[in-house]
């Protein structure tokens, strides 16, 4: 009885076979079938090769949310060279809450205003990168992927001894500010602080041919997560404006460099995405199965058309399906 049940179960499983085997004696190979198979295998290999590179590639995913971190500080790195002596300029920061930010981290260094050839090359490279980023924003993804691998962002030091007079002032360092709107400015005269605000002593500095340079900066908090690094950073956009200070012509103001910054209330999370292995295998199976099905239908359709043409014009003697019926002697006698 057990053997009988096993035979019935085995026969039932055989009836459910979706891949029946055809004996080799009933299989006929042709040159056209071999050609189509060769084309199919070549297409499979090429598409699988390209799909593997798609699997290895990564892309950046951007997510936006409200920035809930109001207690942290924003670090501002400063490196500006002004064509004036250090005793004639001053720099400080005043935020929207009328809070003076201490500038202990800012240093004043007498330097030569003209750059060395190495510094000019660094400056041109930096300008080129910035211009490309303005024109093609997709380069940001390249920078995100190759973070910490690029050229140094600091100005290269001057080599050798200086033979020219130190007529310029390099203001560099960093300060920590609150995440509110503020104004970082470099103006003529050293800053002094008093209970009602602050001022700059500029009584002994000439005000001929003075200009005002204004930069309106919007800072966007950004979290970066890649396969190599995770960091909290910031992106920013800048709008520039400049004008000549001429009180006689009605162009009033204070000469200097003013950087008015504001922090966005939205935070951007940039994460590196990768195709999972199961999706790669599914796409690979789709490529193989799709090519097999498509080439099989094309081969069947071409063969059908070829048989019709051969039967119509009797071009192939091996095609016997459309041969005319042969009359026997009995039919002739009748």
């Amino acid at each position: 009885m057990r053997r009988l049940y096993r035979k019935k179960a085995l026969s039932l499983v055989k009836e459910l076979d979706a891949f029946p085997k055809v004996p080799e004696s009933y299989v006929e190979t042709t040159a056209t079938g071999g050609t189509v198979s060769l084309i199919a295998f070549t297409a499979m290999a090429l598409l699988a090769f390209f799909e593997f590179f798609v699997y290895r590639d990564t892309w950046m995913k951007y997510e936006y949310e409200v920035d809930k971190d109001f207690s942290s500080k924003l670090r501002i790195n400063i490196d500006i060279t002004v064509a004036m002596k250090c005793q004639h300029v001053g720099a400080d920061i005043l935020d929207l809450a009328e809070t003076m930010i201490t500038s202990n981290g800012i240093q004043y260094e007498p330097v030569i205003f003209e750059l060395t050839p190495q510094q000019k090359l660094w400056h041109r490279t930096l300008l080129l990168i910035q211009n490309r980023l303005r024109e093609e924003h997709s380069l940001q993804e390249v920078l995100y992927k190759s973070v910490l691998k690029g050229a140094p962002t600091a100005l290269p030091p001057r080599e050798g001894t200086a033979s020219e007079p130190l007529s310029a002032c390099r203001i560099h360092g960093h300060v920590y500010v609150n995440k509110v709107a503020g104004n970082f400015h470099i103006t003529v005269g050293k800053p002094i602080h008093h209970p009602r605000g602050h001022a700059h002593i500029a009584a002994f500095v000439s005000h001929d041919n003075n200009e005002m340079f204004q930069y309106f900066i919007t800072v966007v908090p950004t979290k970066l997560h890649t396969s190599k690094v995770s960091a909290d950073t910031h992106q920013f956009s800048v709008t520039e404006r400049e004008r000549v200070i001429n009180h006689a012509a009605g162009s009033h103001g204070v000469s200097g460099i003013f950087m008015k910054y504001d922090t966005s209330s939205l935070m951007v999370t940039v994460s590196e995405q990768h195709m999972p292995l199961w999706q790669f295998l599914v796409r690979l199976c789709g490529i193989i199965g799709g090519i097999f099905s498509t080439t099989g239908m094309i081969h069947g359709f071409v063969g059908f058309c070829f048989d019709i043409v051969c039967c119509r014009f009797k071009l192939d003697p091996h095609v016997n399906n459309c041969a005319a019926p042969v009359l026997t002697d009995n039919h002739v006698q009748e």
Side-chain angles (χ1 to χ4, degrees):
M1 294 296 294
R2 291 183 179 179
R3 292 182 179 179
L4 181 60
Y5 287 138
R6 288 181 182 178
K7 290 182 179 180
K8 290 183 178 180
L10 185 60
S11 61
L12 180 61
V13 172
K14 288 182 178 180
E15 291 179 0
L16 296 176
D17 186 9
F19 307 98
K21 307 299 184 294
V22 180
E24 295 184 358
S25 58
Y26 293 97
V27 178
E28 180 182 1
T29 58
T30 60
T32 56
T35 303
V36 173
S37 300
L38 183 62
I39 295 174
F41 291 145
T42 304
M44 289 179 193
L46 290 176
L47 291 180
F49 179 75
F50 292 134
E51 189 66 24
F52 176 73
F53 281 97
V54 174
Y55 168 71
R56 292 191 58 186
D57 193 15
T58 59
W59 65 91
M60 292 299 174
K61 181 181 179 181
Y62 295 85
E63 298 177 333
Y64 303 89
E65 59 180 323
V66 178
D67 186 14
K68 301 178 182 179
D69 185 12
F70 301 103
S71 60
S72 63
K73 299 289 185 178
L74 175 64
R75 172 169 172 161
I76 299 180
N77 299 316
I78 302 167
D79 194 348
I80 300 175
T81 302
V82 184
M84 293 183 66
K85 294 184 177 181
C86 291
Q87 60 266 27
H88 294 160
V89 295
D92 56 353
I93 299 177
L94 182 66
D95 64 12
L96 189 62
E98 299 295 331
T99 303
M100 286 296 304
I101 308 300
T102 177
S103 57
N104 296 332
I106 300 178
Q107 301 177 8
Y108 299 84
E109 179 185 354
V111 293
I112 301 174
F113 188 74
E114 293 294 331
L115 300 177
T116 62
Q118 182 182 5
Q119 292 174 336
K120 289 181 179 179
L121 177 61
W122 170 86
H123 189 255
R124 286 196 299 267
T125 304
L126 186 62
L127 291 179
L128 178 61
I129 294 175
Q130 292 176 349
N131 292 332
R132 290 291 301 274
L133 283 176
R134 293 191 187 100
E135 296 173 359
E136 188 174 354
H137 296 284
S138 61
L139 286 178
Q140 286 184 344
E141 297 190 1
V142 179
L143 294 180
Y144 283 145
K145 293 178 182 179
S146 60
V147 67
L148 303 180
K149 287 187 177 181
T153 56
L155 180 68
R158 183 180 293 271
E159 299 178 354
T161 58
S163 58
E164 302 179 12
L166 304 178
S167 58
C169 182
R170 180 188 177 194
I171 304 173
H172 61 95
H174 65 273
V175 292
Y176 290 92
V177 301
N178 299 320
K179 297 179 71 173
V180 295
N183 183 5
F184 168 70
H185 50 272
I186 302 174
T187 58
V188 179
K190 293 297 181 180
I192 58 173
H193 308 287
H194 55 83
R196 295 187 177 180
H198 78 291
H200 291 262
I201 301 177
F204 303 100
V205 181
S206 175
H207 290 274
D208 299 334
N209 299 324
N210 290 332
E211 293 189 35
M212 174 187 290
F213 299 90
Q214 293 178 309
Y215 301 89
F216 302 92
I217 305 173
T218 301
V219 182
V220 181
T222 304
K223 288 186 177 182
L224 177 63
H225 301 286
T226 65
S227 58
K228 297 181 181 179
V229 65
S230 294
D232 293 337
T233 182
H234 295 83
Q235 303 180 81
F236 64 91
S237 60
V238 184
T239 303
E240 304 176 8
R241 181 190 177 192
E242 63 178 274
R243 62 186 177 90
V244 178
I245 302 300
N246 189 350
H247 298 286
S251 179
H252 303 290
V254 179
S255 59
I257 303 173
F258 297 86
M259 301 180 186
K260 299 181 179 181
Y261 61 88
D262 192 6
T263 306
S264 175
S265 60
L266 293 179
M267 181 178 62
V268 182
T269 302
V270 183
S271 57
E272 186 177 11
Q273 301 292 317
H274 186 274
M275 180 187 297
L277 179 60
W278 66 266
Q279 186 176 357
F280 168 69
L281 295 178
V282 169
R283 291 166 64 98
L284 199 62
C285 293
I287 290 175
I288 297 175
I291 292 179
F292 258 122
S293 301
T294 304
T295 53
M297 290 187 295
I298 293 176
H299 179 255
F301 178 75
V302 172
F304 176 74
C305 295
F306 182 76
D307 292 342
I308 291 179
V309 172
C310 290
C311 291
R312 178 68 178 83
F313 298 99
K314 298 181 180 180
L315 299 177
D316 193 351
H318 298 287
V319 179
N320 298 322
N321 296 332
C322 58
V326 179
L327 299 178
T328 62
D329 296 339
N330 296 330
H331 288 85
V332 172
Q333 291 175 1
E334 292 177 357

